Amino acid sequence: MAMPLRQTIKVATYLFEQKLRKRDKFALLVELEPLFACNLKCEGCGKIQHPAGVLKQRMPVAQAVGAVLESGAPMVSIAGGEPLMHPQIDEIVRQLVAKKKFVFLCTNALLMRKKMDKFKPSPYFAWAVHIDGLRERHDASVAKEGTFDEAVEAIKEAKRRGFRVTTNSTFFNTDTPQTVVEVLNFLNDDLQVDEMMLSPAYAYEKAPDQDHFLGVQQTRELFKKAFSGGNRAKWRLNQSPLFLDFLEGKVDFPCTAWAIPSYSLFGWQKPCYLMSDGYVPTYRQLLEETDWDKYGRGKDPRCDNCMAHCGYEPTAVLATMGSLKESLRAMRETVSGNRE
């Protein structure tokens, strides 16, 4: 499955507008981090390694919304940290939805049921719940027992209230095709979430665990086996067919990190959400002052094992839009999902 039809049309229209304006670089989705604080200490994340003073900061609503509007992106993923710890996160979401931006609120779900009354269902809003495996595996990944069960209950409650619910699953070299299949079957069939996103883990420089990130060949072997037997076709995956081809090694792409820029308390992050080579105050400066040609596999050693969606999903989307065959393929998958 690809993205919902309404979102597909909005994104396709946006991409066509960029082509008409002859822009070679533009934002497709903004990774917005209105805070770095979190109520978990996940082994594969380095965000909470910031000093205490930084962890106490919260981005003002106007600044958060203004950054997304400045970029022009039709979609925004609100992450952190744990965004539900931001006292005005509901207002940030409300204003972005009012601007008809597609908003994905990424959360570990520990505060989700408590905060749910602050949000309203909308075709422009989705919860994006972090689920890295079934109970034992997920709780070990986030270093806290009971997190998986709370996330499951929060997803059920959100679905009961009419919210669109997606999930985000990161996989490590400790995963096997079977563990990937098990969690995606559970999310797809048992919880019946609207869509699922998946990504191989990237080696955050400050992450506590540096031993379990996937290499390129490991990633390809893992997903090729996990996707076999008709699994890929039945799962409601919120990613383009070409990106899924990329994960299992059928195609290869360059990184287009400029299309999914990251904006945090420090500003626009160079060059991407996963690496930090400095910050600039505007998106235009990010585009113009970053030497994009020096990043990517074979150019920067930090990029050598990266196959993360934030670098390669936009490349796949652009390749899809540039090919009639791939556009028809993506549209067939969208229509077959029968979703608005």
Side-chain angles (χ1 to χ4, degrees), residues 25-88:
K25 292 184 175 62
F26 46 84
L28 186 61
L29 177 147
V30 172
E31 292 276 6
L32 178 66
E33 296 179 297
L35 79 172
F36 292 124
C38 191
N39 48 7
L40 286 176
K41 298 179 180 179
C42 301
E43 291 296 306
C45 178
K47 297 296 181 178
I48 62 170
Q49 301 301 314
H50 290 291
V54 173
L55 294 179
K56 291 179 181 178
Q57 294 179 31
R58 304 291 183 264
M59 186 181 294
V61 174
Q63 181 181 347
V65 175
V68 177
L69 297 181
E70 176 202 353
S71 75
M75 301 179 287
V76 55
S77 176
I78 306 179
E82 170 52 54
L84 289 178
M85 292 175 65
H86 193 296
Q88 295 175 293

Side-chain angles (χ1 to χ4, degrees), residues 258-289:
W258 44 263
I260 303 188
S262 174
Y263 185 79
S264 72
L265 293 162
F266 300 143
W268 294 98
Q269 184 170 324
K270 301 170 61 177
C272 69
Y273 176 68
L274 300 171
M275 291 164 52
S276 179
D277 285 353
Y279 299 85
V280 291
T282 69
Y283 180 61
R284 177 178 291 276
Q285 285 178 270
L286 178 70
L287 291 184
E288 295 177 352
E289 297 178 14

Side-chain angles (χ1 to χ4, degrees), residues 184-318:
L184 294 183
N185 277 345
F186 175 75
L187 296 172
N188 192 82
D189 302 335
D190 296 12
L191 283 187
Q192 297 184 2
V193 301
D194 293 277
E195 295 160 327
M196 302 173 291
M197 185 176 74
L198 48 86
S199 186
Y202 174 82
Y204 278 110
E205 184 180 356
K206 293 184 179 180
D209 182 357
Q210 290 289 316
D211 298 325
H212 297 111
F213 294 104
L214 285 161
V216 171
Q217 192 55 40
Q218 289 175 306
T219 297
R220 290 169 175 165
E221 291 174 359
L222 176 67
F223 288 108
K224 183 177 181 179
K225 293 176 180 178
F227 288 164
S228 66
N231 286 330
R232 173 175 156 176
K234 76 171 184 176
W235 289 330
R236 292 182 295 278
L237 298 173
N238 185 23
Q239 288 163 311
S240 65
L242 274 180
F243 178 73
L244 300 177
D245 288 349
F246 168 75
L247 285 184
E248 56 178 314
K250 292 181 177 179
V251 296
D252 200 11
F253 293 123
C255 174
T256 49
W258 44 263
I260 303 188
S262 174
Y263 185 79
S264 72
L265 293 162
F266 300 143
W268 294 98
Q269 184 170 324
K270 301 170 61 177
C272 69
Y273 176 68
L274 300 171
M275 291 164 52
S276 179
D277 285 353
Y279 299 85
V280 291
T282 69
Y283 180 61
R284 177 178 291 276
Q285 285 178 270
L286 178 70
L287 291 184
E288 295 177 352
E289 297 178 14
T290 305
D291 184 359
W292 300 104
D293 292 335
K294 76 176 185 179
Y295 296 105
R297 292 202 305 273
K299 299 177 181 179
D300 188 315
R302 295 172 297 175
C303 303
D304 285 349
N305 287 319
C306 181
M307 294 182 70
H309 68 278
C310 61
Y312 295 96
E313 176 72 77
T315 322
V317 170
L318 293 172

